[in-house]
Amino acid sequence: NEQAEAVFVIFGSTGDLAKRKLFPSIFNLYRKGNLTNKFAIIGLGRREWDNEKLRSVVKESIKEEHGEAVAEGSSEFLDHFSYLSFDVTDKDSYANLLDEMVLKEDEFSIPGNRIFYMAMAPEFFGSIAQSIYSSGLKETSGWTRLVIEKPFGTDLSTAKQLNEEIRKAFSEDEIYRIDHYLGKEMVQNIQVIRFANAMFAPLWNNRHIANIQVTSSEKLGVEGRGSYYEKSGALRDMVQNHMLQMVSLLAMDVPLRLTTDEIRSEKIKVLRALRPVVGETIKENVVRAQYSAGSVEQTDVPGYLQEDNVDPSSHTETYVAARLLIDNHDWAGVPFYIRTGKRMAVKSTKIVVEFKELPHNLYAKEAIKTGPNLLIIHIQPDEGITIVLNGKKIGSADTTPVHLEYRHDSEDRVNTPEAYERLLFDCMMGDATNFAHWDEVSLSWSLVDAISNAWTESDNQPVSYKAGSMGPKEADKLLEADGFSWWPVE
Ligand code: BG6
């Protein structure tokens, strides 16, 4: 087992992310032996909590995931947690934090490695990073790293500003920008499927692929995040990060080696080659939509405009579908269709790669026509691969689609780390491959800004789709215009 030894400082430890994702992930790393006893977690927050309170919250989150008995047996683990009431604008707070870190490093024999994790309101990210620096928290015999949650800015200019602020305190290779999709098992598998298989690697280009469809649909609505979501919408919330990350992984060229730099540089090239959607082209390439009242799994749900903290005349989109084109040698002419939305019929993230039909298909003229070959990568909720081939119907001359299915079964899943667990571990081990480099962030913001500006300039209003559906009909037309249609993801 590779093992990490570090002090882990969580800004925003009283928040939802810490409770739902970070504490259980750290516990899992500990249980699996990826953390020795040489670690400490210092939780920070505005609230007047104490060590006991933080430990009880951590224990609660362990109980939720692993049950009472495991939680009861976790006291040794909980001893590594301490809490400091913290004012991010106050110098004394940072001085206290330094004392606490030194104390913990001594208590648990930690060799001076420090991780600062920002899991709180993004407006403070920049100033906190600078205070960490100016208060001497980076002066240590070990390494220091900054983990930073989304949103990384709200457009290119705010992202740039934030980046400049944190770069005054941390170098690029000390910064770990989280995109939790990069921690998902099957997102990480995209590269293996592509680069380790003789049956895909040679076909992975515009000579053999007709189009690629990436769907990430959710059943949930805005869930009490109305005020954040109003300013963000699906474009900033999902497309700028998760969707474009998946597109980069699907379209990147074979890296020279499996190193962080080589992989990132190939992904960056894809983003550079993505054709910006500007001006009038927005209408035929991007669909912007908002859910109206409907029913999700037999439960009536309100429309977006009736949600809490949402302006009743809001134009914020809860759904985006787009045709993306990559202007390079391998991908010219192959549309990448993406779609993502809230309050849809299913929770599903899937990639469908549709191969071109054979130039001379002997079976194409028959009454029962053969279909294209498909490679389906199931990212969530189920994980696996489906390959769709054409075969012969038993006892008949007709052809029929043959589905070769592989799923990770539930037994495999028991010990499979969650996205956050994997990413935290990577950060501790100094592996930034599955984190977003600044160039990726800035390029994807440019693309998103172009779309957003084109919407504003053309006074584009979202169309409507019914909650519980798979999105508006306009999204179907996007593909129909090219002679394709969405493959089902349910
Ligand atoms: C987050 C978005 O980044 O991703 C949320 O802010 C969204 O709005 C979530 O619900 C989806 O993540 P997942 O892992 O459930 O697909």
Side-chain angles (χ1 to χ4, degrees):
N1 262 9
E2 285 185 299
Q3 292 176 323
E5 298 170 345
V7 172
F8 216 99
V9 181
I10 303 180
F11 291 81
S13 68
T14 58
D16 199 42
L17 180 85
K19 186 160 186 255
R20 279 190 309 113
K21 302 283 186 193
L22 303 183
F23 300 150
S25 300
I26 297 168
F27 180 63
N28 288 341
L29 290 171
Y30 178 76
R31 267 186 117 192
K32 291 177 188 167
N34 291 130
L35 278 178
T36 58
N37 275 320
K38 297 184 181 180
F39 77 97
I41 314 290
I42 304 174
L44 307 178
R46 261 179 318 192
R47 296 186 210 176
E48 295 290 330
W49 285 13
D50 57 12
N51 295 352
E52 283 324 300
K53 171 69 185 167
L54 178 68
R55 288 173 191 169
S56 73
V57 170
V58 178
K59 190 171 175 184
E60 192 56 34
S61 74
I62 295 173
K63 190 172 132 192
E64 269 169 37
E65 191 164 317
H66 300 283
E68 184 91 44
V70 177
E72 284 310 318
S74 65
S75 62
E76 232 176 80
F77 172 73
L78 296 175
D79 286 344
H80 292 257
F81 282 75
S82 60
Y83 182 81
L84 286 184
S85 197
F86 201 87
D87 174 354
V88 295
T89 61
D90 175 25
K91 272 198 170 143
D92 290 344
S93 282
Y94 293 89
N96 291 342
L97 174 58
L98 181 57
D99 292 344
E100 179 75 5
M101 286 196 304
V102 172
L103 208 71
K104 292 293 161 187
E105 285 169 352
D106 192 45
E107 182 180 343
F108 295 111
S109 316
I110 303 165
N113 300 329
R114 298 173 180 173
I115 296 178
F116 301 95
Y117 196 111
M118 308 257 179
M120 55 178 302
E123 57 265 36
F124 298 113
F125 289 167
S127 69
I128 295 173
Q130 292 188 47
S131 301
I132 288 173
Y133 183 75
S134 59
S135 315
L137 305 188
K138 287 196 76 209
E139 287 158 30
T140 163
S141 52
W143 43 254
T144 58
R145 293 179 189 144
L146 178 74
V147 184
I148 190 154
E149 274 292 334
K150 62 169 283 207
F152 200 93
T154 53
D155 56 17
L156 180 59
S157 89
T158 51
K160 251 188 191 151
Q161 194 185 337
L162 170 58
N163 199 52
E164 277 162 20
E165 281 167 13
I166 62 176
R167 282 298 305 274
K168 282 184 198 147
F170 290 85
S171 62
E172 178 63 32
D173 62 3
E174 291 174 326
I175 302 171
Y176 290 70
R177 298 177 193 82
I178 293 249
D179 183 316
H180 79 283
Y181 267 55
L182 295 179
K184 292 184 191 283
E185 182 65 38
M186 288 305 294
V187 172
Q188 298 191 349
N189 208 342
I190 293 172
Q191 289 178 61
V192 184
I193 295 168
R194 288 193 48 198
F195 303 136
N197 288 301
M199 62 186 285
F200 296 126
L203 304 186
W204 211 266
N205 54 51
N206 51 10
R207 292 175 292 292
H208 302 285
I209 289 178
N211 72 82
I212 296 187
Q213 307 178 6
V214 185
T215 300
S216 196
S217 61
E218 293 186 84
K219 283 192 285 200
L220 294 178
V222 285
E223 306 296 300
R225 294 159 81 217
S227 34
Y228 153 75
Y229 200 83
E230 269 287 87
K231 286 190 231 104
S232 140
L235 182 68
R236 292 182 172 77
D237 189 47
M238 292 290 292
V239 176
Q240 184 269 334
N241 38 51
H242 315 317
M243 302 304 282
L244 289 177
Q245 280 290 344
M246 287 190 282
V247 169
S248 315
L249 289 167
L250 288 163
M252 70 189 269
D253 206 345
V254 193
L256 288 179
R257 283 174 220 88
L258 291 176
T259 59
T260 306
D261 288 351
E262 296 294 353
I263 292 172
R264 280 172 156 183
S265 98
E266 293 305 334
K267 286 169 69 191
I268 289 165
K269 278 195 218 157
V270 173
L271 295 169
R272 282 169 47 203
L274 266 176
R275 186 182 303 174
V277 184
V278 289
E280 281 300 299
T281 63
I282 190 92
K283 287 205 199 85
E284 66 258 25
N285 288 300
V286 186
V287 176
R288 180 189 195 201
Q290 195 181 66
Y291 61 84
S292 58
S295 127
V296 178
E297 286 191 327
Q298 281 104 49
T299 307
D300 289 343
V301 295
Y304 179 68
L305 299 180
Q306 287 86 52
E307 301 275 12
D308 287 346
N309 298 321
V310 168
D311 174 356
S313 59
S314 170
H315 296 151
T316 299
E317 76 287 346
T318 60
Y319 174 102
V320 174
R323 175 196 294 111
L324 301 177
L325 296 170
I326 299 174
D327 291 324
N328 69 14
H329 184 81
D330 276 343
W331 294 113
V334 180
F336 283 68
Y337 303 109
I338 58 169
R339 61 175 164 167
T340 182
K342 301 249 179 227
R343 282 284 189 240
M344 293 174 65
V346 287
K347 167 83 182 166
S348 172
T349 304
K350 279 193 186 22
I351 294 162
V352 182
V353 180
E354 178 176 333
F355 289 88
K356 288 190 170 166
E357 307 240 11
L358 286 171
H360 181 64
N361 182 350
L362 292 172
Y363 297 91
K365 290 192 211 73
E366 302 299 317
I368 299 127
K369 220 172 147 264
T370 56
N373 293 142
L374 304 177
L375 165 67
I376 305 171
I377 303 175
H378 305 263
I379 291 169
Q380 62 186 21
D382 50 341
E383 297 183 347
I385 301 168
T386 303
I387 297 174
V388 182
L389 307 171
N390 292 301
K392 181 179 156 315
K393 221 180 212 170
I394 299 179
S396 131
D398 293 344
T399 63
T400 184
V402 178
H403 290 244
L404 304 181
E405 307 260 4
Y406 168 76
R407 292 290 183 283
H408 293 166
D409 60 30
S410 45
E411 208 146 292
D412 288 332
R413 299 287 313 145
V414 177
N415 283 319
T416 313
E418 280 251 25
Y420 268 94
E421 188 184 327
R422 225 180 252 122
L423 295 175
L424 284 178
F425 184 66
D426 283 357
C427 169
M428 291 177 186
M429 301 316 293
D431 182 351
T433 314
N434 290 312
F435 292 81
H437 186 274
W438 165 244
D439 291 349
E440 296 173 77
V441 174
S442 65
L443 285 162
S444 52
W445 273 125
S446 310
L447 292 156
V448 159
D449 283 359
I451 294 177
S452 176
N453 291 341
W455 278 342
T456 313
E457 281 158 20
S458 60
D459 198 22
N460 183 297
Q461 307 303 334
V463 295
S464 151
Y465 64 102
K466 221 171 158 180
S469 70
M470 272 316 276
K473 57 182 183 319
E474 284 77 359
D476 298 334
K477 292 191 190 136
L478 199 65
L479 278 71
E480 280 161 21
D482 302 331
F484 300 123
S485 55
W486 292 104
W487 292 97
V489 297
E490 292 90 330

